[in-house]
Amino acid sequence: MQVVIDALNWIAGLGPMCMMPIIMFIIGICLRVKLGTLLKCCITTGVGFCGVNLVINTFIAQVGPSVQNMVTRFGLHTDIMDVGWPARAAATWAYPLAAVVVFVVLGLNLIMLALKLTNCVMVDFWSYNHFIFCAAICYYASGSAIIGLVCGAICAMVTFKLADWTQPVVEESFGIPGVSFPTSNSISWAPLAYLLNKLYDHIPGLNKLKADPESIQKKFGILGEPLMIGTILGALFGILGGNDVAGVMSVAMYTAATMMLTPKMMQVLMEGLIPFADAVKDLLNKRFVGNKFHIGIDAALTIANPSCIAVGILMVPTTIILAMVLPFNRLLPISDIAYQAMWLSAYPVAFSKGNVVRSYISCVIFTCIMLFIATALAPVHTSLAVAGGYELAGAALISTEDAGPHLLSYLLSLVAGLFH
């Protein structure tokens, strides 16, 4: 079993730029996709992931000091340390039953496909760590490994069904045909995003406000272009961070670059992903008549959407302010703040057809809930991290902003706790 866990950790540690091409190649060979087409698709997809990661990671590296400055200026202090998503993921994969969860979820996906209970072909191996995280926190909440495994399986089943439901709107909004995003910590928010968008339809003023990138650009001219929006938002962010003139200019330019370059890197990724997805779907649909399969991949791809980027940038200072004023929050959100802010915007953007104002309001609501969950999960998160060998370095409790978006896992952990 340890050999399997080590192999899974090694593959996951490669990152999506290497992991996804490997998975795509294995699946393509098994389904007898033409070798030349398969190799080109795999390498192009890896290059696309590399490009997206370079742009986003550079943006985060430049924004980081401004976030630290904002925390200092606002005097924000909490007793739960944010250790960042890599620490959360590492502790998750170190869970003793991680490999068992992977095989349970993989088998479950195959059974659901065979019984036509889902059309989601889950190829995003990295996102299996979310199901493991669910199983792990439910184990610590209940004291039962069996209950943990059952909760992890339920999380996977619900995620696959949500992927089926959201696939059409995902395809329309993000322009990736035949693809869904069964990433548990993102898609768990889809029902709430849908309901909130329906609510906005009945609010005077908001129900008629067109605030998608195209409408903004048409209304404000050059000031509405992604390039200028990125520059303006970046400058404001730099000012809030207390930077000098050079620092403000630097943050503004990196933000503008993120707005411009991320969608272009996404186009490269899709040049590899779409032909592969089409080839796999065609082969599967021929063998399983009546099914309309879609390929499940990482929801991180949604951050290349201009509306997601804009909302994400707006949510960085907003998250700091919310962390400061919400009475129940005890987490200092620093490590993942820029990344998570864009991540949460995916389904609000999808259901609102790119409306930045509606998506921002939804993300403010989501973030309040997310901070509550991240705070509530701190004791379980700390136990999981310690069991995985994480050194607390003097901190009594640790958590991550990345734990907060696991809405479905948190709800299942509350149920699991009833059996303790």
Side-chain angles (χ1 to χ4, degrees), residues 57-329:
N57 289 340
T58 301
F59 168 70
I60 292 174
Q62 295 300 317
V63 167
S66 293
V67 174
Q68 295 281 2
N69 291 339
M70 288 177 63
V71 170
T72 302
R73 294 183 73 194
F74 291 150
L76 180 60
H77 300 285
T78 58
D79 64 330
I80 298 176
M81 183 172 65
D82 184 356
V83 294
W85 75 263
R88 198 276 305 161
T92 298
W93 284 107
Y95 177 57
L97 297 179
V100 177
V101 177
V102 170
F103 287 120
V104 167
V105 173
L106 180 60
L108 185 62
N109 188 212
L110 293 174
I111 291 172
M112 291 181 70
L113 288 168
L115 296 177
K116 296 186 178 182
L117 296 175
T118 185
N119 286 320
C120 177
V121 183
M122 181 64 163
V123 302
D124 178 23
F125 175 78
W126 169 253
S127 290
Y128 275 58
N129 85 86
H130 299 147
F131 307 132
I132 301 170
F133 181 69
C134 178
I137 65 173
C138 289
Y139 160 70
Y140 282 104
S142 66
S144 169
I146 298 299
I147 290 177
L149 289 174
V150 170
C151 289
I154 293 173
C155 181
M157 287 190 291
V158 174
T159 297
F160 298 150
K161 296 301 294 183
L162 288 174
D164 291 333
W165 172 54
T166 57
Q167 196 279 324
V169 73
V170 161
E171 181 172 316
E172 179 184 356
S173 300
F174 300 106
I176 314 178
V179 165
S180 61
F181 301 123
T183 313
S184 178
N185 65 338
S186 176
I187 205 168
S188 295
W189 299 90
L192 183 55
Y194 172 81
L195 292 175
L196 286 172
N197 192 61
K198 288 295 183 182
L199 175 64
Y200 302 149
D201 288 337
H202 299 284
I203 298 177
L206 188 58
N207 58 358
K208 296 182 179 179
L209 179 63
K210 294 183 178 180
D212 58 278
E214 292 78 12
S215 298
I216 293 174
Q217 184 172 345
K218 183 177 180 180
K219 184 174 183 178
F220 294 98
I222 188 173
L223 294 178
E225 294 182 2
L227 180 69
M228 296 305 298
I229 292 175
T231 303
I232 294 170
L233 291 177
L236 290 174
F237 190 73
I239 293 170
L240 286 173
N243 295 327
D244 56 19
V245 175
V248 171
M249 292 176 63
S250 178
V251 174
M253 290 304 296
Y254 275 103
T255 306
T258 302
M259 292 284 288
M260 286 293 293
L261 295 179
T262 306
K264 295 184 183 299
M265 293 299 101
M266 184 65 172
Q267 291 175 4
V268 175
L269 192 152
M270 287 191 294
E271 288 178 9
L273 187 62
I274 291 177
F276 169 78
D278 288 342
V280 170
K281 283 189 304 173
D282 290 342
L283 287 169
L284 288 174
N285 288 330
K286 288 178 181 178
R287 296 184 183 182
F288 302 94
V289 179
N291 292 53
K292 294 183 179 179
F293 294 103
H294 49 89
I295 307 300
I297 57 175
D298 196 336
L301 298 186
T302 61
I303 64 177
N305 181 280
S307 294
C308 288
I309 298 172
V311 173
I313 292 171
L314 287 170
M315 283 305 302
V316 172
T318 302
T319 302
I320 291 292
I321 295 171
L322 290 173
M324 180 175 62
V325 302
L326 291 174
F328 55 76
N329 179 61

Side-chain angles (χ1 to χ4, degrees), residues 8-78:
L8 295 175
N9 281 326
W10 182 79
I11 295 173
L14 295 174
M17 70 184 71
C18 294
M19 183 190 66
M20 280 303 296
I22 291 174
I23 294 173
M24 288 171 61
F25 185 79
I26 293 173
I27 292 175
I29 290 295
C30 292
L31 295 177
R32 299 181 182 179
V33 177
K34 187 177 178 181
L35 185 59
T37 300
L38 180 61
L39 283 173
K40 184 177 180 180
C41 288
C42 292
I43 296 173
T44 304
T45 300
V47 170
F49 266 113
C50 183
V52 171
N53 285 341
L54 284 173
V55 175
I56 297 299
N57 289 340
T58 301
F59 168 70
I60 292 174
Q62 295 300 317
V63 167
S66 293
V67 174
Q68 295 281 2
N69 291 339
M70 288 177 63
V71 170
T72 302
R73 294 183 73 194
F74 291 150
L76 180 60
H77 300 285
T78 58

